[in-house]
Amino acid sequence: MARFLEYEGKGWLAKAGMPVPKGRPASTPEEAKQVAEWIGGPVAVKGQVQAGGRGKAGIVKLVNTPEEAAQAAAEILAKTVKGLPVHQVLVEEKLNIKKEFYCSFVVNGSREARSPMLMFSTEGGMDIESVPEEKIFKLNVDPIFGLQIYDAVDLAAKAGVPAKELSKFANFLTKLSQTYQTYDCQTLEINPLIITADGDLVCADCKMEIDNSAVGRHPEFGIEIARDLPGVPTELDFIGWSIEETDARGTGFLMNMGFDEVSPGYIGYHPIGGGSAMMGLDALNQVGLMPANYADTSGNPVASKIYRVAKAVLSQPNIDGYLLGGFMMANQEQWHHAHAIVKVLREVLPTQKPGLPCVLLLCGNREDESLEILRTGLADLMTAGGPGRRIEIYGKEHVTDTKFIGERLLLLSKEYRAEKEAQRK
């Protein structure tokens, strides 16, 4: 899912006519001070990262003056939360809170529903996870017609909203339902939804996630990569998305896995399918190697797509090896992988990465033909002293033998690193 930071989500809520606090993002303490001066009163300074529990992590601070806002921003911008550095803060007006509520729209994927679902509780705030199940009220929403006002009134009443407030809450929830549908959201969570001392409902926080498949309908969002990423997109992530975005034949998923390009022990990782990917990771973990990336070419993609993915995996600098991990008896025709890998390795190994360890595991449909394509197509590279001297090719005899594959890769990668170190001297 394509996720928005809080300030981005609130911006789109505001454009949809939903009530949000007055505020703006800031990237420096000075900018935070300027926003606080523009607001003209006590403010909240909130770190912007894709992580929950920000209050408990100490990146949400309430202050009274612009100078205090600058100081709070400086402290927050120096923090890292769940491995994610804080690059921006949201500075917004401090709200006079009377009570906090929780509401969200999510996708109910159960066979009985297959629809959006509204969840609402009169117990909102930081500890929503600890609210008893019976205090969170749920309602499946018609995916065509959306939330109806009478259903919203009924849900709010069951949750314990006072009778005099029912109309206000029902109007808010139906409008939020329309926003959820208009923006093709996967998740739209307001926690807390607060009612102020003046009786106004305000979205005090916002978690907005857009359905990846709908991103093409929303150029206004400016989403460059419609997929989940652990952090800021890297060059490899953009390459991977360009492959998948322009070629829907099978899967060609590719993403960075935190490769730092300096530390030893990173392997260009190219599994075939989700189950195979987990077994390949087990092979690496058992011997202390790490994936530089994650790439998946399953669903019977054509050789040209596999070639593009493999070429990107092998383009990463300073990797200590390449693993084609077909740890499943795949029903797709494996000769597409074989043809693609032969072409890539013949292009990369002789001039760019001679001697790079390449452990190739393929099994399943057309296995014998595929292994023969690999052996024949790479034979001249695999000679003693040749650029493909550390290529090893395996089939179904090692389909579940993750320990063997990991140990072979570890041994070859140690040889490779030692060889490169000797050449530097």
Side-chain angles (χ1 to χ4, degrees), residues 131-145:
V131 173
E133 182 72 17
E134 63 270 16
K135 290 191 176 183
I136 299 178
F137 293 80
K138 302 175 182 178
L139 175 69
N140 290 325
V141 178
D142 189 294
I144 303 298
F145 300 105

Side-chain angles (χ1 to χ4, degrees), residues 65-81:
T65 68
E67 290 73 24
E68 290 177 355
Q71 181 179 349
E75 294 173 3
I76 293 171
L77 290 168
K79 290 181 177 290
T80 297
V81 179

